[in-house]
């Protein structure tokens, strides 16, 4: 298939060089999409139907077999050899069961080792004599060691996951899922499915995946390309609102107020306050005639534009045309017959331009936010009845900046500028947005994301128990309201495929303290995993030495190893690893067979996974956060990054919530 595309000759099939350039780029993208993936098979399953799908089920009619894979593959004649996992005919591979066989006689799973077919396993779904059994190949694929970036899960999608993946483009879906339930993979595969089912529409409107940080995006960046989808943009919220350079930081109290949805009303008031009611008429001179629009008529025009509550910039562009229209009405009454060209000329008249500048001056969003944070009187005027005096004092800069460029903007300030920018001019909306680790966003950040999908849909992924910011959302209903998608369907994934049983049971001791209403994750893995808590206070060895020894012990196993520690302890552990001669990577750097150890600050652990984890000093992870609840949530995240085994080392006392 790739060679067929490479052999295409487009020299005589395009009308001009522009078309040739566009077509050439499309062909290049198609070639990239058809690239071979080493050690990745083209198919992983087979379905034998009792009857041909779509055909009448006449007695004696023969069924049909289909191989299911990551990509559609056809032969030289164009006949399908492998069916794309997203096609309707593939759906029973994920949904069919003995209770509802969906006309499937046989479901076959294939097992691979290094790209070589090494096993297969059959389920005769329509045979009542065959007993139900757990798929060994499915279990092995789920528990396969993880080295390198995140991989697709097309061979292991479960029925409840498939239902979310194949939900329609028109609706927004929120997925609440505990550690290891596959919510990130479900979100990415939903994007792949939507691109398959609505390719033309999404090609026009665009798709976007939003992650919590660059390390996380690097970890997931190969999933969609492996499924042949190369056009999906990935970004963080900070990337979306990068109107200014972020060089400063806020304290927790200031960040909470700046992230509060009430700031949107403060900004709206501040923007609209630039409009000045007209006090003088506008006199337009054309030739020997003078046309006068009185102040009261100008005031009516301004009031109408304000009442429509359209964006400030759009109203400013409409104002000269409205004034020009008022002049044209006078012209017509005097017997003239002006047309649109006359109206445009009047709108460009110097007197009209001067009036517009005085009544509806341009607004620079960054300068507006700069003034709000610097000018106590300006902030008080527009925050009256919205923010308390104490809250105003909390967000106001102690030392005002002299200019937009010299200001030490924080990440929360950039979100405020993005809100102000949208009040002035509309933000471009995409066809679909995936928002991962959504529980950590502030209301203002939700609004920033929502602006990118006002005319499209969204997939929201997160876990309320893993909210580790002071402004973490308290409920999905509240978050979805700020996102502008209050009608979204909330789905909950409770089956854990990644975290071993003993590990998730230990971490779940924290749930009553961090998210009392959530259902604990139930691990469906047959392998309980390796789990040990080591008190190093009485060993006589240094705490860092014990940690290094634990890392060496786990590196004897196949797969990746993550050493997770409180941010403040990372430098000491880095020095200890170097002294011991253990090479390690930073989060986001791709593990290899030669270097499988990653040193992970607890603040960056969210969304990552490793075959084995050493967790250093849980108490330090908790105390490293501004409050106890956030610290326990950070610890919950750190405890649930392991796929096969976890060693917890501590010289100091464990948090009491883990020993209850």
């Amino acid at each position: 298939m790739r060679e067929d595309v490479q052999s295409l000759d487009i020299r005589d099939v395009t009308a001009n060089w522009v078309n040739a350039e566009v077509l050439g780029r499309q062909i290049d993208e198609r070639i990239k999409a058809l690239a071979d993936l080493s050690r990745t098979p083209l198919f992983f399953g087979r379905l034998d139907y009792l009857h041909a799908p779509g055909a009448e089920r006449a007695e004696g009619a023969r069924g049909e077999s289909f191989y299911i894979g990551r990509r559609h593959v056809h032969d030289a004649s164009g006949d399908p050899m492998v069916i794309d996992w997203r096609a309707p005919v593939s759906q029973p591979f994920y949904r069919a069961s003995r209770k509802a066989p969906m006309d499937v006689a046989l479901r076959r799973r294939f097992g691979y080792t290094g790209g070589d077919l090494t096993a297969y396993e059959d389920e005769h779904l329509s045979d009542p004599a065959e007993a139900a059994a757990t798929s060994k190949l499915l279990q092995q694929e789920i528990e396969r060691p993880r080295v390198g970036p995140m991989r697709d899960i097309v061979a292991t999608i479960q029925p409840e996951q498939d239902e979310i993946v194949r939900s329609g483009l028109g609706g927004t879906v929120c997925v609440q899922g505990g550690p290891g339930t596959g919510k990130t993979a479900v979100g990415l595969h939903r994007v792949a499915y939507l691109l398959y089912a609505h390719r033309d529409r999404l090609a026009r409107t665009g798709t976007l995946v939003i992650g919590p940080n660059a390390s996380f995006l690097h970890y997931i960046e190969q999933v969609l390309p492996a499924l042949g989808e190369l056009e999906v943009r990935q970004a963080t919220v900070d990337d979306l609102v990068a109107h200014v350079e972020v060089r400063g930081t806020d304290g927790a109290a200031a960040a909470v107020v700046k992230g509060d949805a009430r700031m949107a009303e403060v900004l709206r008031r501040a923007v609209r306050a630039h409009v000045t009611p007209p006090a003088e008429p506008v006199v337009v001179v054309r030739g020997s005639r003078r046309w006068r629009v009185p102040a009261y008529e100008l005031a009516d025009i301004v009031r109408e534009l304000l009442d429509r509550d359209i964006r400030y910039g759009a109203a400013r562009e409409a104002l000269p045309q409205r004034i020009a229209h008022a002049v044209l009405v006078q012209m017509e009454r005097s017997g003239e017959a002006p047309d649109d060209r006359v109206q445009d000329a009047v709108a460009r008249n110097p007197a009209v331009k001067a009036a517009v500048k005085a009544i509806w001056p341009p607004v620079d969003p960054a300068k507006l936010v700069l003034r709000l944070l610097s000018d106590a009187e300006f902030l008080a005027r527009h925050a009256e009845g919205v923010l308390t005096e104490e809250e105003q004092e909390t967000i106001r800069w102690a030392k005002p900046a002299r200019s937009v460029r010299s200001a030490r903007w924080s990440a929360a300030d950039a979100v405020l500028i993005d809100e102000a920018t949208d009040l002035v001019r509309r933000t471009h909306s995409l066809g679909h947005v995936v928002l991962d680790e959504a529980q950590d966003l502030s209301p203002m950040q939700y609004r920033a994301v929502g602006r990118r999908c006002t005319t499209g849909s969204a997939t929201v992924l997160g876990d309320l128990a893993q909210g580790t910011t002071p402004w973490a959302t308290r409920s999905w209903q509240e978050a979805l309201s700020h996102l502008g998608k209050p009608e979204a369907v909330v789905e909950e994934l409770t089956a854990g495929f990644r975290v071993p049983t003993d590990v998730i049971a230990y971490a779940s001791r924290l749930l009553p303290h961090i998210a009392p209403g959530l259902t604990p994750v139930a691990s469906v893995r047959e392998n309980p995993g390796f789990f040990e808590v080591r008190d190093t206070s009485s060993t006589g060895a240094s705490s860092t030495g014990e940690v290094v020894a634990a890392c060496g012990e786990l590196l004897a196993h196949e797969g990746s190893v993550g050493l997770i520690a409180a941010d403040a302890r990372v430098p000491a552990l880095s020095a200890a690893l170097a002294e011991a001669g253990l090479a390690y990577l930073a989060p986001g750097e791709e593990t290899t067979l030669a270097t499988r150890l990653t040193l992970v600050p607890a603040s960056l652990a969210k969304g990552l996974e490793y075959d084995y984890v050493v967790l250093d000093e849980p108490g330090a992870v908790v105390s490293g956060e501004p409050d106890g609840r956030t610290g326990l949530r950070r610890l919950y995240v750190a405890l649930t990054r392991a796929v096969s085994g976890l060693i917890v080392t501590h010289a100091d006392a464990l948090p009491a919530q883990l020993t209850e």
Side-chain angles (χ1 to χ4, degrees):
M1 290 168 65
R2 186 173 62 251
E3 288 170 356
D4 285 346
V5 179
Q6 289 172 329
S7 66
L8 291 175
D9 185 353
I10 63 171
R11 287 176 295 181
D12 299 323
V13 299
T14 55
N16 52 54
W17 70 270
V18 176
N19 290 347
E21 190 75 20
V22 171
L23 184 57
R25 188 174 295 117
Q26 291 174 342
I27 289 175
D28 289 342
E29 291 299 315
R30 176 66 173 160
I31 292 170
K32 288 180 185 177
L34 290 171
D36 288 322
L37 298 176
S38 61
R39 308 170 70 84
T40 301
L42 285 175
F43 62 90
F44 50 81
R46 186 180 116 188
L47 287 177
D48 289 2
Y49 280 88
L50 291 171
H51 308 87
E56 293 186 8
R57 300 187 179 183
E59 186 175 347
R62 297 181 59 186
E64 197 169 351
S65 296
F66 299 93
Y67 285 88
I68 312 300
R70 288 166 175 77
R71 306 294 311 281
H72 168 83
V73 182
H74 61 249
D75 62 17
S77 302
D79 295 325
M81 299 176 66
V82 178
I83 305 298
D84 194 301
W85 66 277
R86 297 167 286 189
V89 75
S90 303
Q91 185 172 335
F93 185 79
Y94 304 107
R95 300 273 189 97
S97 65
R98 281 180 170 75
K99 290 184 178 179
M102 300 176 72
D103 201 45
V104 173
L106 171 76
R107 174 167 56 201
R108 173 169 290 176
R109 300 182 190 274
F110 295 97
Y112 291 86
T113 303
D116 295 329
L117 177 62
T118 54
Y120 68 89
E121 184 180 75
D122 288 348
E123 296 174 88
H124 297 88
L125 298 179
S126 299
D127 184 355
E130 184 176 288
T134 302
S135 169
K136 299 296 184 183
L137 289 180
L138 184 63
Q139 202 71 34
Q140 290 171 12
E141 175 64 21
I142 290 172
E143 299 179 8
R144 184 157 55 95
R146 286 152 167 78
V147 176
M150 183 180 181
R151 57 178 182 257
D152 66 74
I153 61 164
V154 289
T156 63
I157 293 174
Q158 299 300 292
E160 64 272 20
Q161 295 174 324
D162 187 68
E163 188 173 340
I164 297 171
V165 167
R166 296 178 192 265
S167 56
L169 177 61
T172 289
V173 178
C174 175
V175 182
Q176 158 64 41
T181 54
K183 57 185 177 295
T184 296
V186 165
L188 294 174
H189 287 67
R190 186 178 182 219
V191 171
Y193 172 77
L194 292 176
L195 286 167
Y196 174 87
H198 308 277
R199 188 166 304 280
D200 291 343
R201 179 175 171 183
L202 290 177
R204 294 191 306 270
T205 56
T207 50
L208 172 68
V209 174
I210 303 174
N213 52 56
S215 298
F216 177 84
L217 292 178
H218 182 71
Y219 177 61
I220 67 170
E221 66 183 358
Q222 295 304 317
V223 175
L224 290 171
L227 300 174
E229 303 301 344
L230 306 174
E231 299 300 320
V232 180
R233 181 187 165 204
Q234 296 184 352
T236 64
V237 173
D238 291 344
D239 294 333
L240 298 181
V241 300
H243 304 284
V244 292
E245 182 182 359
V246 174
R247 297 184 294 145
T249 55
D250 285 315
V256 168
V257 177
K258 289 180 179 180
D260 195 294
R262 292 174 296 162
M263 287 300 300
E265 174 60 19
V266 175
L267 289 165
R268 191 187 74 87
R269 291 181 182 181
V271 169
R272 289 168 65 97
H274 285 77
V275 178
T276 303
E280 300 290 337
V282 172
V283 179
V284 176
V285 179
R286 283 184 59 82
S288 61
R289 301 294 301 270
R290 293 164 61 88
W291 307 98
R292 184 176 180 273
V293 182
Y296 73 84
E297 190 170 347
L298 292 174
D300 288 342
I301 294 172
V302 170
R303 192 178 305 111
E304 181 197 353
L305 289 172
L306 288 172
D307 290 345
R308 289 182 59 193
D309 203 25
I310 60 177
R311 281 171 172 76
Y312 186 92
R316 187 174 188 274
E317 292 174 1
L319 181 57
Q321 290 291 336
R322 296 296 179 87
I323 296 173
H325 177 72
V327 172
L328 259 66
V329 170
Q330 295 183 30
M331 290 180 176
E332 290 170 348
R333 287 174 181 168
S334 68
E336 296 189 18
D339 57 17
D340 291 345
R341 290 174 297 177
V342 175
Q343 179 167 330
D344 291 339
V346 172
R348 296 192 299 269
N349 184 276
V352 175
K353 285 185 176 181
V356 170
K357 185 175 181 180
I359 298 169
W360 214 292
V363 170
D364 182 299
K367 289 182 179 178
L368 175 75
V369 175
L370 179 71
R371 187 179 177 191
L372 272 175
L373 299 178
S374 304
D375 186 334
E377 183 181 346
F378 186 70
L379 175 61
R381 185 161 65 251
H382 301 301
E384 183 179 0
V386 180
L387 301 180
T388 65
E389 291 184 6
E390 183 181 356
E391 288 172 327
Q392 294 174 38
E393 179 68 26
T394 299
I395 65 173
R396 198 166 57 244
W397 289 340
K399 184 179 180 182
R402 291 192 296 179
S403 67
V404 170
R405 181 165 295 184
S406 65
R408 294 185 62 81
W409 299 105
S410 69
D413 296 334
V415 178
L416 296 180
I417 295 172
D418 189 71
E419 178 84 25
T421 300
D422 186 69
L423 289 168
V424 175
R425 56 184 178 272
R426 182 181 296 277
T427 302
H428 175 65
S429 178
L430 301 168
H432 193 77
V433 170
V434 175
L435 175 60
D436 205 352
E437 299 297 347
Q439 72 279 347
D440 274 339
L441 269 60
S442 70
M444 291 298 285
Q445 287 176 317
Y446 277 116
R447 289 175 62 89
V449 174
R451 285 191 285 277
R452 272 76 186 177
C453 55
T454 52
T455 58
S457 56
T459 302
V460 180
L461 313 166
D463 179 12
L464 296 178
Q466 296 186 58
T468 51
T469 57
W471 50 84
T473 189
R474 290 168 292 187
S475 74
W476 289 123
Q477 287 71 27
E478 179 182 327
L480 293 166
S481 178
H482 293 310
L483 190 71
K485 306 291 183 183
E487 76 292 344
V489 176
V490 180
E491 302 282 0
E492 187 171 9
L493 297 176
T494 57
F497 303 98
R498 173 171 57 79
V499 185
T501 303
D502 293 347
V503 174
I504 196 62
Y506 185 71
S508 293
R509 295 181 182 183
L510 300 176
L511 281 180
H513 307 279
I514 60 178
L518 287 188
T519 304
V521 172
S523 178
V524 298
R525 298 180 55 164
E526 292 186 347
N527 180 3
F530 171 76
F531 173 63
E532 187 176 346
V533 179
R534 296 180 180 176
D535 184 350
T536 63
S537 59
S538 60
T539 63
S542 68
S543 60
T544 56
E546 292 286 348
V547 172
V548 171
C551 291
E553 181 181 328
L554 293 181
L555 284 169
H557 299 278
E558 182 184 4
S560 57
V561 177
L563 168 55
I564 303 177
D567 292 29
R569 286 185 55 81
V570 167
L573 291 171
S574 173
L577 291 172
E579 184 178 347
L582 285 181
Y584 66 90
L585 303 167
E589 296 180 337
E590 191 170 320
T591 56
T592 65
L593 292 176
T595 308
R596 296 180 287 119
L597 175 63
T598 303
L599 177 57
V600 186
S603 62
L604 296 180
K606 191 171 297 180
L608 305 179
E609 58 183 29
Y610 302 93
D611 287 293
Y612 296 92
V613 167
V614 177
L615 175 58
D616 167 71
E617 291 296 352
V621 173
V622 176
S623 62
E625 298 298 326
D627 61 86
R629 188 182 187 190
T630 302
L632 290 174
R633 286 182 168 186
R634 185 76 73 188
L635 177 58
Y636 181 74
V637 171
L639 284 168
T640 54
R641 300 303 96 198
V643 175
S644 298
L646 170 67
I647 297 176
V648 178
T649 64
H650 69 100
D652 299 330
L654 289 170
Q657 294 82 355
L658 282 178
T659 58
E660 293 176 353

